[in-house]
Amino acid sequence: MTTPQLLSVATLIGMMALFIWGRFRYDVTAIIALLTALAVGVVEPEDAFSGFSDDIVVVVASALVLSGAVQRSGVIERALGVVGRRIRRMRGQLLVLTASVAFSSALVKNIGALAMLMPAAVQMAKKSNSSPSCFLMPMSFAALLGGLMTQVGTSPNIIVSRVRQQMTGEPFTMFDYLPVGLGLTLIGLAFLAFGYRLLPGGRRAAPTMGEALDIKGYVTEAEVTEGSAAAGETVAGFLERHDREITVTQVLRSGMRSAPMPDMTLREGDTLILGGEPDALERAIARDKLKLEGEHRETETVSDEDEVGVIEAVVNVNSPLVGSSAGRLDLQRRHGVNLVAVSRQGERLTRRLAETTLRGGDVIVLQGSLTQLPEKLRELGCLPLAERTLRLGTSRRGYLAVGILAAAMAATAVQLVPVAVAFFAAAGLVIITGALPVREAYDHIEWSILVMLGALIPVSDSLRSTGASDVIATWLAQTATILPAWGAVALILAAAMAVTPFLNNAATVLVMAPIAATFAGDLGYRPEAFLMATAVGAGCDFLTPIGHQCNTLVFGPGGYKFGDYARLGAPLSLLVLILGTPLLIAVWPLR
């Protein structure tokens, strides 16, 4: 090896050591690697920031925004709820959850699909009186497998497509990943339906601050609108359809207050006083297209540029709200906020929100301009509650985000426009149309991932530019000469699976893909199967909670320990290696 080649390899080895050590965040480690590569001369100054202009950065950022928009729409969550209500056995629920998150991961980034369906898993676990740990890790693994099916499901697929374009002039298309990804997903789902028994039972997460406060009994007020599923339905039918997670304490019709008898038929224009947990109320209101109290009012203090949202707060004992009602204080006109829900410990509220006299210690949900709400809380003497996500009182755009995503995928599938252009345009459209507010769009972008990609692209490319990847590939090829063709593919797949638990999956592909492509060329094989093996191996991190964000996301809520991942993940990894190798060769012939 020449000196530049040795320096390039040493830089990457040092970077991997930092990743494994974990002293610095992965984006900081990538920056250190880039600075080191510049200092030793394996990356030229004019190429230092070329990674930030790469299409990969645009595609990953746009995919995250689209994932957030689909997640916010609640479409997939509602569809899962319809199926979940009819399935009571734990194995059936597990299969529904893992299949749902797997196939959702083909449409949105796997971490987004998992985050979208985790609340449904916790809800199912409560209903079946089981531990969420039986659902969450299998769902995480299913999300990783499902992400293998399309180009946008996971970052490694995007990077591998770029490497193939550099090698052959032709990138992988959106659904080139589907045959292998679908096969492995079905195999994985079948395993997880029975393999979940390898997990220790009874694990539960430590209670969150929101759970510790035990705020469940919210009361809100909503109107039955034209076209609502509740119109023409009895109270009993309405409650049964929502799994009795909510209650109807009063029905107001034509100015008259009525007790909600089970056989009472709801009509358009009725106002319902609803009680329940925030998530259950939000699901019922969104599903039945009910109109929350205050939504029909114009908020003069909110400009077109402001984003309307909700905040959860507790009423201080010295608050001017104490002893008064929202109607008497005229909160909307005087303060520019709407009261959309109230919770009072130990008491069931039955009056209209505008007529409810507030007390110190009441927990309220206020709706208004997110830029003005903190100041309004100070004026009203309310304290923001422990941070947790509330969607009660926020608007949704239903199927709009899903339609935009489908259009983008169709445009790339027929090669009408490049992937980066299609997804950047789609991300812009979901923001412009209001399917995802600008503030949330920026929140959904994982900036640390983009920084890591931008910094590592020139570092990993130094292997190619210095010729080090050719040398490494030649060494591997010499080792593989004693192996059959399938053994060479299995070697690359196993190497990628071994590295990715300790290295970010995108970083694994950036390092491994050029080596795999050159390795294939040295053996006289076509590169596609080896590139796909690299992407599959990098996407199948089943051994640790730190290699992929999906595994990290379920670590706390599932109450898992570090070693729990290998108990379920090791046999699944072996299954992918044994069955994935012939599948790769069958779909992507080596000659």
Side-chain angles (χ1 to χ4, degrees):
M1 271 190 162
T2 64
T3 300
Q5 290 171 350
L6 289 171
L7 290 173
S8 176
V9 172
T11 300
L12 285 167
I13 291 175
M15 177 194 73
M16 294 176 68
L18 286 179
F19 273 124
I20 295 171
W21 183 28
R23 174 64 178 82
F24 304 104
R25 280 185 8 165
Y26 49 81
D27 51 340
V28 176
T29 297
I31 292 171
I32 294 172
L34 177 57
L35 293 175
T36 303
L38 282 167
V40 299
V42 295
V43 172
E44 297 295 330
E46 57 269 21
D47 298 326
F49 307 113
S50 59
F52 292 97
S53 62
D54 197 285
D55 283 356
I56 297 174
V57 176
V58 176
V59 173
V60 171
S62 301
L64 289 169
V65 171
L66 289 168
S67 175
V70 174
Q71 179 181 343
R72 191 176 194 270
S73 74
V75 170
I76 298 176
E77 181 184 336
R78 288 199 297 272
L80 181 64
V82 172
V83 177
R85 284 197 299 273
R86 298 183 176 139
I87 300 174
R88 301 298 179 183
R89 297 185 63 181
M90 180 177 172
R91 181 171 294 167
Q93 291 176 340
L94 177 64
L95 187 58
V96 168
L97 288 167
T98 52
S100 298
V101 75
F103 288 102
S104 298
S105 295
L107 302 176
V108 298
K109 199 168 186 299
N110 45 26
I111 182 69
L114 179 60
M116 179 168 51
L117 296 178
M118 275 180 62
V122 175
Q123 186 182 358
M124 282 190 182
K126 285 182 180 179
K127 289 181 180 178
S128 60
N129 197 28
S130 57
S131 170
S133 64
C134 296
F135 294 146
L136 294 181
M137 190 186 297
M139 286 175 66
S140 174
F141 291 173
L144 296 179
L145 289 167
L148 303 176
M149 288 193 279
T150 63
Q151 190 174 24
V152 298
T154 185
S155 302
N157 289 355
I158 301 171
I159 300 170
V160 159
S161 177
R162 170 181 173 270
V163 174
R164 188 198 186 198
Q165 185 174 28
Q166 291 176 339
M167 296 292 299
T168 67
E170 183 181 357
F172 288 118
T173 61
M174 178 65 67
F175 297 106
D176 280 346
Y177 305 86
L178 186 59
V180 173
L182 179 60
L184 291 176
T185 298
L186 295 177
I187 292 168
L189 292 177
F191 168 77
L192 293 171
F194 300 92
Y196 76 93
R197 296 181 180 278
L198 296 172
L199 292 171
R203 292 280 172 83
R204 296 185 185 273
T208 64
M209 183 63 73
E211 293 170 336
L213 292 169
D214 196 27
I215 300 167
K216 297 179 180 178
Y218 269 115
V219 171
T220 192
E221 184 176 331
E223 179 184 340
V224 180
T225 60
E226 182 180 359
S228 170
E233 191 174 37
T234 64
V235 171
F238 174 79
L239 296 177
E240 189 64 33
R241 188 161 52 83
H242 294 293
D243 295 333
R244 298 194 174 274
E245 294 179 331
I246 58 174
T247 60
V248 180
T249 57
Q250 291 288 329
V251 178
L252 288 82
R253 178 178 297 167
S254 303
M256 301 293 292
R257 188 187 303 269
S258 304
M261 302 302 293
D263 58 350
M264 180 181 184
T265 301
L266 301 176
R267 302 177 187 171
E268 181 184 329
D270 286 352
T271 298
L272 311 180
I273 309 298
L274 303 174
E277 297 185 18
D279 287 345
L281 291 171
E282 191 275 336
R283 283 192 296 271
I285 290 167
R287 188 184 304 165
D288 288 359
K289 300 179 181 177
L290 304 179
K291 181 186 288 185
L292 271 177
E293 167 66 14
E295 281 190 336
H296 62 284
R297 301 175 184 171
E298 295 183 0
T299 307
E300 298 176 358
T301 56
V302 179
S303 67
D304 292 338
E305 292 80 15
D306 282 342
E307 181 188 339
V308 175
V310 294
I311 194 167
E312 197 175 16
V314 62
V315 178
N316 201 331
V317 291
N318 297 320
S319 167
L321 296 176
V322 175
S324 297
S325 65
R328 195 182 312 157
L329 291 170
D330 199 1
L331 287 178
Q332 199 281 328
R333 186 181 63 83
R334 294 174 58 188
H335 297 278
V337 296
N338 297 321
L339 178 67
V340 296
V342 179
S343 175
R344 180 173 296 162
Q345 183 68 28
E347 185 174 339
R348 184 184 183 187
L349 302 175
T350 59
R351 300 176 65 85
R352 299 194 64 172
L353 291 180
E355 301 170 357
T356 301
T357 301
L358 299 174
R359 301 177 186 172
D362 284 353
V363 179
I364 60 177
V365 178
L366 295 176
Q367 180 191 55
S369 165
L370 289 177
T371 59
Q372 299 178 16
L373 275 174
E375 179 61 30
K376 299 299 180 183
L377 287 181
R378 284 191 290 271
E379 292 177 7
L380 296 171
C382 298
L383 303 174
L385 206 57
E387 184 177 348
R388 60 176 180 173
T389 302
L390 275 185
R391 291 187 296 191
L392 184 64
T394 60
S395 62
R396 292 184 175 194
R397 290 291 188 272
Y399 295 94
L400 180 60
V402 178
I404 292 173
L405 175 61
M409 295 182 72
T412 58
V414 300
Q415 299 184 358
L416 184 64
V417 291
V419 175
V421 174
F423 277 79
F424 181 77
L429 281 174
V430 297
I431 295 172
I432 293 168
T433 58
L436 185 69
V438 176
R439 184 193 302 266
E440 289 190 30
Y442 281 106
D443 288 341
H444 278 287
I445 295 175
E446 297 178 33
W447 299 102
S448 55
I449 291 287
L450 301 187
V451 170
M452 186 203 70
L453 284 173
L456 283 190
I457 285 172
V459 175
S460 63
D461 193 55
S462 69
L463 282 177
R464 180 197 57 80
S465 61
T466 62
S469 60
D470 294 336
V471 175
I472 296 172
T474 300
W475 289 348
L476 287 174
Q478 291 172 352
T479 303
T481 52
I482 62 173
L483 298 175
W486 63 264
V489 176
L491 177 64
I492 293 297
L493 178 57
M497 292 178 72
V499 171
T500 195
F502 307 101
L503 207 61
N504 181 278
N505 60 355
T508 298
V509 178
L510 285 168
V511 173
M512 289 280 304
I515 295 174
T518 307
F519 171 68
D522 288 347
L523 292 174
Y525 297 134
R526 292 182 57 82
E528 287 81 6
F530 294 87
L531 290 174
M532 281 288 183
T534 303
V536 169
C540 292
D541 173 24
F542 306 131
L543 299 177
T544 72
I546 59 174
H548 195 280
Q549 307 100 308
C550 285
N551 292 348
T552 306
L553 184 62
V554 301
F555 186 66
Y560 300 117
K561 295 181 180 179
F562 195 98
D564 292 341
Y565 285 80
R567 295 178 64 165
L568 182 64
L572 181 57
S573 298
L574 187 61
L575 198 64
V576 169
L577 182 62
I578 293 173
L579 300 181
T581 300
L583 184 59
L584 283 163
I585 297 174
V587 175
W588 299 99
L590 299 180
R591 301 287 185 182

